[in-house]
Amino acid sequence: MAQTPSTEARAGLKLISPPALYAILMLAAPLATVLLYSVLTGEKGSVSLPLTLDNYHDLLTKPVYRALMWRSLIVSFFVTLATVILAYPIAYFVSFHVAPSRKALWLFLITIPFWTSYIIRVALWRTILGYDGIFDSVVMGLGITDTQPNILSNGVLSIIITLAHAYAPFAVLPIFVSLEKVDRSLLEAGQDLGESRWMTFLRVTLPLSLPGVIAAVLIVFIPTVGDYVTPELIGGGKTPMIANLMEVAMLKQRDQAMGSAIAVGAMTIVALISVAFVLWNKRYLGGRK
Amino acid sequence: MTFSDDRPTMIEFKDVHKYYGDYHALRGINGTIKAGEFFSLLGPSGCGKTTLLRTIAGFEDISSGVVMIDGKDVAGVAANARPTNMVFQSYAIFPHMSVAENVGFGLRRDPRPKAEKAKAVAEALEMVGLKGYGARAAHALSGGQRQRVALARALILKPKVLLLDEPLSALDKKMREHMQVELIKLQRQVGITFILVTHDQEEALVMSDRIAVMFEGEIAQLADPETLYRRPNSKKVADFIGTMNFIPAEVLSEAGDKVEIDAKGLGRVTIDASMAPPAHGESPVVGLRPETLTLLYDDQKPLERETDGVIDEVIYFGDMTYYDVYLGGTDVEVRLSMRNVPGRPVLEVGTKVRVAWSPSALVLFR
């Protein structure tokens, strides 16, 4: 009881200072730099005054930016949709149908795809989806089509498939956690009050697991909007997304100001969508104590 | 206090067994529960009382035997198709819904128009004393309020049987006693069969028309509260319900409806055969409730029978005092309870006393 609140607060500050310093140097400072660069003029790898909104004017008026932003959002939307739809049954199965002592093992098994480098997994998807690849051989072997579907030639679709596979485990975990928190007696109550298992799922389990679903949506949606590697590797750069455009502006055109403006624009859109989701989440989180 | 036998049967168990793997949870349950009865399943944890309740609700399949509800074998009938509703131990209130949505949960397929359903919900809430609570968020309710919502939610569906799984165990003592009386009143008002699972013998005695005492997957005794308290059919039941003194005894003779015994410290006494339940092959003891023994003060005349004793322990409760007394120079110790009334001081340890008792209160276990 010798410690007064102020000494406690000081001790607390001392404790968090290393991570706080790290956060300021590695997150806040670069972010501030990007924000600053975006309102400067960029030329031949350097930026200069005066402050200007020209970059943002270009961003809003030139069709290429809008087109690639839309593509990124659409790819992200479908990746998120596919991931959550695939992840929910897996999470449900592990939470409701796996013996408690085996749940940890199942979650461990779900992480197996991460044991392989993402680059290698992308390369494998190229082999599977490419012309006369595994998918084509199987489909043609079964006599479903006469010509090679060659999914890889459809850049957006192959990017979606590859990303959905990569992010599925990320989505399983938050959904699993929210399902674990559903009081099992609520499901019995639903059936006791006359509902079938399916209706009980729709009226009780699903709404109560929505916070997990929304967390999964955010975890998948946010990083996939800015994904750079997949479009580069899967489509050989022929189907660029917004992050690829940033790379071009930053490194090829050496216009860091424009690159920064694109980054800030993309960040703003992702932030707005995320906040909307978080608010929706809050409505449901408010329903649970 | 006896429950009329002419009531129709609501639930019947015929040799019900339930196994969980190797574990034999229900070991041949037989018995009937009458329509409109307040029935309790009483026993220590793990005795199978909750399992039995869940077989009625349809949450557990039985391994063998028959469960009949209102004359129909309910084997294979899912929980959502049974004329029973349950109040869960945790209350199982849906946290993402309002109070009215919770109460109206089971009305989704009810063909009545919306306005009538809303009226039914309001009436159900009024019945449990939660008038005007409909719009509140369910997660913001107190324990007692949650329980009322759970009751309203079940009763609005007008079940033939209401199942209550330890509904009062999560409440504090005052609230529990209050809700006991409320539940009795509610049961009389709606007139449907209530089946209560509890480990609290006092609660079962207070609330029930009849009680089934369960041990290790079997019904040890099924009787009304008074019979259960005054004439338990085994030492185990006697020990579980309230407090009972057990005194070693010897059976001297049995003739007609009389049994003559010699109880250590009490002497020879003849009891009615109805107070000697069927033998279990144990060494004979007689049971005496603490309140059937009385300490005699100096000015008092002896009652039917009297024995000398020495006070070994005094436990003061305010309205009552419990005395542990050695009987008649033996090592037999009994506990007796005395009401603390004016002019009857609390006696001290070591005081020599006279203990009066009545042969009609003795129960013989053997």
Side-chain angles (χ1 to χ4, degrees), chain B residues 100-155:
Chain B
E101 283 169 331
N102 262 284
V103 174
F105 187 91
L107 296 180
R108 186 178 63 86
R109 280 182 304 181
D110 192 315
R112 284 182 288 175
K114 244 186 176 170
E116 270 184 55
K117 289 193 205 178
K119 203 172 146 235
V121 168
E123 280 169 5
L125 281 173
E126 196 174 344
M127 183 172 65
V128 296
L130 286 180
K131 193 181 175 184
Y133 277 67
R136 296 224 190 162
H139 64 90
L141 298 177
S142 72
Q145 288 168 336
R146 276 161 193 259
Q147 189 196 37
R148 288 158 194 264
V149 171
L151 272 169
R153 186 175 71 177
L155 289 173

Side-chain angles (χ1 to χ4, degrees), chain A residues 183 185-197 199-200 203-204 207-208 284 286-289, chain B residues 54 57 59 79-80 84-86 88 90 92-97 104-106 108-109 139 153-154 157:
Chain A
D183 180 355
S185 69
L186 294 178
L187 310 185
E188 289 190 340
Q191 286 172 50
D192 186 65
L193 295 167
E195 292 292 18
S196 61
R197 274 168 198 274
M199 276 310 296
T200 303
R203 295 184 69 188
V204 181
L208 287 176
Y284 285 98
R288 321 184 53 176
K289 69 178 178 274
Chain B
R54 290 170 60 83
F59 296 134
N80 58 8
T84 59
N85 283 114
M86 185 137 157
F88 291 82
S90 62
I93 301 296
F94 303 116
H96 57 303
M97 295 181 179
F105 187 91
R108 186 178 63 86
R109 280 182 304 181
H139 64 90
R153 186 175 71 177
L157 301 175

Side-chain angles (χ1 to χ4, degrees), chain A residues 45-205:
Chain A
S46 66
V47 286
S48 56
L49 286 167
L51 295 179
T52 170
L53 287 175
D54 282 356
N55 298 320
Y56 288 104
H57 181 78
D58 284 358
L59 191 64
L60 290 172
T61 50
K62 286 192 178 165
V64 62
Y65 299 119
R66 201 174 305 173
L68 290 200
M69 192 65 224
W70 268 120
R71 178 186 284 163
S72 293
L73 288 175
I74 288 166
V75 164
S76 253
F77 173 79
F78 282 107
V79 169
T80 309
L81 191 72
T83 309
V84 171
I85 287 175
L86 288 174
Y88 199 99
I90 297 171
Y92 187 90
F93 175 79
V94 176
S95 179
F96 283 83
H97 296 291
V98 172
S101 58
R102 301 219 161 176
K103 283 180 182 176
L105 175 68
W106 274 82
L107 293 180
F108 175 69
L109 292 178
I110 285 167
T111 65
I112 284 185
F114 290 109
W115 298 5
T116 314
S117 149
Y118 183 56
I119 306 290
I120 293 172
R121 277 181 282 155
V122 172
L124 289 173
W125 276 112
R126 285 183 64 99
T127 322
I128 294 167
L129 301 175
Y131 182 80
D132 247 351
I134 294 168
F135 181 78
D136 288 4
S137 325
V138 170
V139 169
M140 288 170 73
L142 292 172
I144 296 167
T145 63
D146 295 334
T147 52
Q148 286 85 349
N150 190 12
I151 293 173
L152 197 63
S153 65
N154 184 335
V156 170
L157 183 60
S158 17
I159 291 170
I160 290 172
I161 291 173
T162 309
L163 280 173
H165 172 246
Y167 279 92
F170 286 117
V172 169
L173 291 173
I175 297 173
F176 169 78
V177 169
S178 70
L179 285 171
E180 283 289 284
K181 282 199 268 179
V182 174
D183 180 355
R184 298 309 193 249
S185 69
L186 294 178
L187 310 185
E188 289 190 340
Q191 286 172 50
D192 186 65
L193 295 167
E195 292 292 18
S196 61
R197 274 168 198 274
W198 173 242
M199 276 310 296
T200 303
F201 170 77
L202 289 183
R203 295 184 69 188
V204 181
T205 317

Side-chain angles (χ1 to χ4, degrees), chain B residues 287-365:
Chain B
L288 264 177
R289 295 284 183 196
E291 69 278 6
T292 64
L293 293 153
T294 313
L295 278 190
L296 292 177
Y297 286 81
D298 290 341
D299 55 333
Q300 282 180 299
K301 291 251 148 42
L303 295 170
E304 284 176 70
R305 293 285 293 262
E306 190 184 311
T307 305
D308 290 333
V310 179
I311 296 176
D312 178 46
E313 194 69 73
V314 178
I315 304 143
Y316 181 71
F317 270 94
D319 59 335
M320 307 278 287
T321 305
Y322 282 24
Y323 295 97
D324 288 343
V325 177
Y326 282 117
L327 286 183
T330 66
D331 61 348
V332 175
E333 193 179 63
V334 293
R335 171 160 293 185
L336 58 87
S337 61
M338 294 293 289
R339 195 153 283 284
N340 291 329
V341 292
R344 297 266 182 275
V346 175
L347 299 174
E348 281 174 26
V349 173
T351 314
K352 288 194 170 157
V353 290
R354 290 183 291 147
V355 177
W357 50 279
S358 163
S360 64
L362 287 178
V363 194
L364 175 67
F365 304 109

Side-chain angles (χ1 to χ4, degrees), chain B residues 73-347:
Chain B
D73 184 350
V74 290
V77 179
N80 58 8
R82 294 193 182 194
T84 59
N85 283 114
M86 185 137 157
V87 174
F88 291 82
Q89 186 169 14
S90 62
Y91 309 141
I93 301 296
F94 303 116
H96 57 303
M97 295 181 179
S98 71
V99 168
E101 283 169 331
N102 262 284
V103 174
F105 187 91
L107 296 180
R108 186 178 63 86
R109 280 182 304 181
D110 192 315
R112 284 182 288 175
K114 244 186 176 170
E116 270 184 55
K117 289 193 205 178
K119 203 172 146 235
V121 168
E123 280 169 5
L125 281 173
E126 196 174 344
M127 183 172 65
V128 296
L130 286 180
K131 193 181 175 184
Y133 277 67
R136 296 224 190 162
H139 64 90
L141 298 177
S142 72
Q145 288 168 336
R146 276 161 193 259
Q147 189 196 37
R148 288 158 194 264
V149 171
L151 272 169
R153 186 175 71 177
L155 289 173
I156 198 171
L157 301 175
K158 306 208 181 318
K160 288 178 178 158
V161 182
L162 183 72
L163 308 169
L164 302 124
D165 185 8
E166 306 240 9
L168 306 176
S169 60
L171 305 178
D172 62 60
K173 191 166 184 283
K174 273 258 161 67
M175 190 68 193
R176 191 159 61 228
E177 283 166 4
H178 178 71
M179 282 309 293
Q180 286 174 0
V181 178
E182 292 237 332
L183 273 178
I184 297 168
K185 282 185 184 161
L186 194 62
Q187 196 261 342
R188 292 208 184 119
Q189 187 188 334
V190 297
I192 62 174
T193 312
F194 276 37
I195 304 178
L196 173 82
V197 157
T198 181
H199 63 268
D200 182 342
Q201 43 95 14
E202 207 174 305
E203 185 171 296
L205 292 178
V206 168
M207 299 176 77
S208 321
D209 292 311
R210 288 194 307 154
I211 299 168
V213 181
M214 292 183 68
F215 295 117
E216 287 159 14
E218 287 173 356
I219 293 181
Q221 187 170 10
L222 197 167
D224 62 273
E226 199 179 348
T227 306
L228 212 52
Y229 188 79
R230 292 181 50 175
R231 280 187 287 129
N233 68 358
S234 65
K235 199 177 157 190
K236 211 170 172 185
V237 172
D239 207 19
F240 190 72
I241 310 274
T243 309
M244 193 169 250
N245 297 301
F246 296 107
I247 301 164
E250 212 180 311
V251 179
L252 300 175
S253 69
E254 276 187 87
D257 58 353
K258 297 287 173 204
V259 183
E260 198 187 9
I261 53 177
D262 182 8
K264 200 172 177 188
L266 295 177
R268 286 185 177 221
V269 55
T270 305
I271 64 167
D272 203 86
S274 67
M275 300 303 276
H280 289 85
E282 296 161 7
S283 51
V285 290
V286 287
L288 264 177
R289 295 284 183 196
E291 69 278 6
T292 64
L293 293 153
T294 313
L295 278 190
L296 292 177
Y297 286 81
D298 290 341
D299 55 333
Q300 282 180 299
K301 291 251 148 42
L303 295 170
E304 284 176 70
R305 293 285 293 262
E306 190 184 311
T307 305
D308 290 333
V310 179
I311 296 176
D312 178 46
E313 194 69 73
V314 178
I315 304 143
Y316 181 71
F317 270 94
D319 59 335
M320 307 278 287
T321 305
Y322 282 24
Y323 295 97
D324 288 343
V325 177
Y326 282 117
L327 286 183
T330 66
D331 61 348
V332 175
E333 193 179 63
V334 293
R335 171 160 293 185
L336 58 87
S337 61
M338 294 293 289
R339 195 153 283 284
N340 291 329
V341 292
R344 297 266 182 275
V346 175
L347 299 174

